[in-house]
Amino acid sequence: MSVALTPLSAAHREGVEMLWGDLRVIRCTNLPRPCGREEARARLEQLLSCERGLSAPVLFAVLAEGRFCGIAGCPPIRAEEEIFGFFYQLLPAFWGRGIGFAAAKMALERLEAAFPAAVVYADAAAENLASVKILESLGFSLRRVRPGAFCREGVCGDILDYMRSGGKRGEKK
């Protein structure tokens, strides 16, 4: 399946509303509940504002066969120090097809092209085995485990904190 990234913009609002409005998507995120239209719009605006002033886009819409299927990116934590976060989210209809890995890899490649010394942090709920596998396949190293740090509907699980530094070092093929 053909996967491409395009800079995320307000034009992707409807897709982001579907994404953040789906309980299955947000289940392993920091969103406490599915977003309605206005909340999704406000969150998208806030997300886009974090890349203003950067020399290159770091937030992307993920397209599969030309159709919106999710978002991926590396929002700055401290841009002046080239420290970024990392995330990707896909609509459930696109899960299990390798799109998440492809999108994650492309987002990191674009970040590294613009910011070669970037340090990138990511976390994953330990139960989200697909995301853990993607992070580790892309050369992220486990830094620490935060026991019980992720709670949803009265059930708590571990958060795994990862880091990747200095570009492509350590990337597994």
Side-chain angles (χ1 to χ4, degrees):
M1 177 170 282
S2 168
V3 179
L5 300 182
T6 188
L8 187 64
S9 72
H12 300 108
R13 189 189 78 236
E14 286 183 26
V16 171
E17 287 172 9
M18 289 190 316
L19 190 70
W20 291 341
D22 192 311
L23 185 58
R24 295 166 295 177
V25 173
I26 67 156
R27 183 177 61 84
C28 288
T29 71
N30 64 355
L31 293 174
R33 67 191 171 291
C35 294
R37 173 178 283 161
E38 289 306 310
E39 184 179 1
R41 182 192 57 75
R43 284 183 176 275
L44 177 60
E45 286 177 14
Q46 181 181 13
L47 182 61
L48 291 172
S49 73
C50 78
E51 78 175 356
R52 289 189 186 114
L54 296 179
S55 59
V58 294
L59 304 169
F60 304 96
V62 180
L63 308 176
E65 303 297 333
R67 293 178 40 213
F68 178 91
C69 67
I71 58 177
C74 304
I77 295 171
R78 290 191 303 276
E80 66 283 354
E81 297 175 45
E82 294 192 8
I83 298 174
F84 295 84
F86 174 75
F87 76 97
Y88 68 96
Q89 299 168 337
L90 298 178
L91 291 166
F94 297 93
W95 292 355
R97 300 183 189 183
I99 295 169
F101 177 80
K105 185 174 188 224
M106 286 188 278
L108 287 168
E109 288 171 348
R110 292 205 185 171
L111 177 74
E112 292 166 354
F115 303 96
V119 174
V120 186
Y121 292 95
D123 60 36
E127 71 180 64
N128 189 346
L129 298 179
S131 287
V132 168
K133 182 178 177 183
I134 286 172
L135 291 172
E136 291 177 356
S137 294
L138 290 170
F140 281 86
S141 298
L142 182 62
R143 294 176 45 240
R144 69 179 173 154
V145 176
R146 291 184 282 148
F150 182 76
C151 297
R152 177 79 67 189
E153 298 175 0
V155 177
C156 293
D158 298 345
I159 292 286
L160 308 177
D161 289 331
Y162 287 90
M163 184 180 87
R164 176 180 155 131
S165 63
K168 298 180 181 179
R169 281 191 309 230
E171 182 172 336
K172 298 176 187 174
K173 297 287 179 187

